[in-house]
Amino acid sequence: MIKIEQDGHVTKKEKMDKQQLKNMLDERAENTKFGTIPATEKAGATEMFWLLVDVITVDTPLEFSDNFQLNLLAINLQRFSAIEQQLSEEGFVVDGKKNPLITASGMYFTNVERLFRDLGITRNERAKLLLNQIKEQSIADPVGDLIEG
């Protein structure tokens, strides 16, 4: 895993690549506007959506293309939360049988985990993708051109 913030020995080239990467992540997210979709509103997850936007975009520069997945994440988190609340009230056993909400809870939890992973919520996950693009030269690397040229 590539870490943006790293202790220990880092070469000058790695430092410059990481700084360029940080700048690119911040630039891409700078003017991104997010919004809810009707399904989010119908699921009662609008407040959850805006909470996610406020919390996640502080450290992770998301782009508008992430908007749909953020909506899905809000819906799944809202439903997971509601099911967990209901499980707390009803218990894990209902009429001597496993509460069916346990299965639903697991499904929503799995969805939330997948969406976090797909969104690359951590900065390091996004950094890894962009750093690979820089190394493959699919993104212009002006810093690298200066060093090599």
Side-chain angles (χ1 to χ4, degrees):
M1 180 191 306
I2 297 171
K3 293 184 179 180
I4 289 183
E5 305 300 335
Q6 180 177 333
D7 295 331
H9 180 70
V10 179
T11 67
K12 191 174 190 177
K13 169 87 169 108
E14 287 173 325
K15 284 181 186 177
M16 293 174 81
D17 283 348
K18 288 179 183 183
Q19 184 57 50
Q20 180 186 6
L21 183 61
K22 284 181 183 180
N23 294 342
M24 289 173 72
L25 288 169
D26 292 340
E27 185 180 318
R28 284 176 132 181
E30 194 169 284
N31 293 312
T32 299
K33 304 286 185 234
F34 296 101
T36 58
I37 59 175
T40 306
E41 295 164 13
K42 285 180 184 177
T46 302
E47 188 176 328
M48 180 70 75
F49 174 83
W50 290 113
L51 175 66
L52 286 169
V53 169
D54 288 345
V55 171
I56 293 172
T57 58
V58 167
D59 291 324
T60 305
L62 297 176
E63 301 172 24
F64 183 73
S65 61
D66 298 318
N67 193 61
F68 181 72
Q69 285 185 306
L70 270 175
N71 276 274
L72 290 177
L73 180 58
I75 292 167
N76 278 273
L77 279 170
Q78 182 72 26
R79 289 178 179 167
F80 176 76
S81 176
I83 287 171
E84 287 298 311
Q85 178 65 36
Q86 196 171 347
L87 273 171
S88 293
E89 294 167 5
E90 293 178 8
F92 293 102
V93 178
V94 177
D95 297 328
K97 297 178 185 173
K98 175 181 156 184
N99 190 330
L101 291 175
I102 294 171
T103 302
S105 175
M107 179 189 71
Y108 286 115
F109 182 76
T110 299
N111 289 346
V112 167
E113 283 184 317
R114 181 185 46 80
L115 286 162
F116 272 118
R117 197 173 43 252
D118 289 350
L119 281 166
I121 295 298
T122 67
R123 192 164 181 89
N124 286 336
E125 289 174 33
R126 287 230 187 244
K128 183 178 180 181
L129 291 173
L130 280 176
L131 199 52
N132 287 337
Q133 289 174 330
I134 290 170
K135 286 180 181 178
E136 294 169 3
Q137 297 299 318
S138 59
I139 293 179
D141 183 9
V143 175
D145 291 344
L146 285 174
I147 293 172
E148 295 169 5

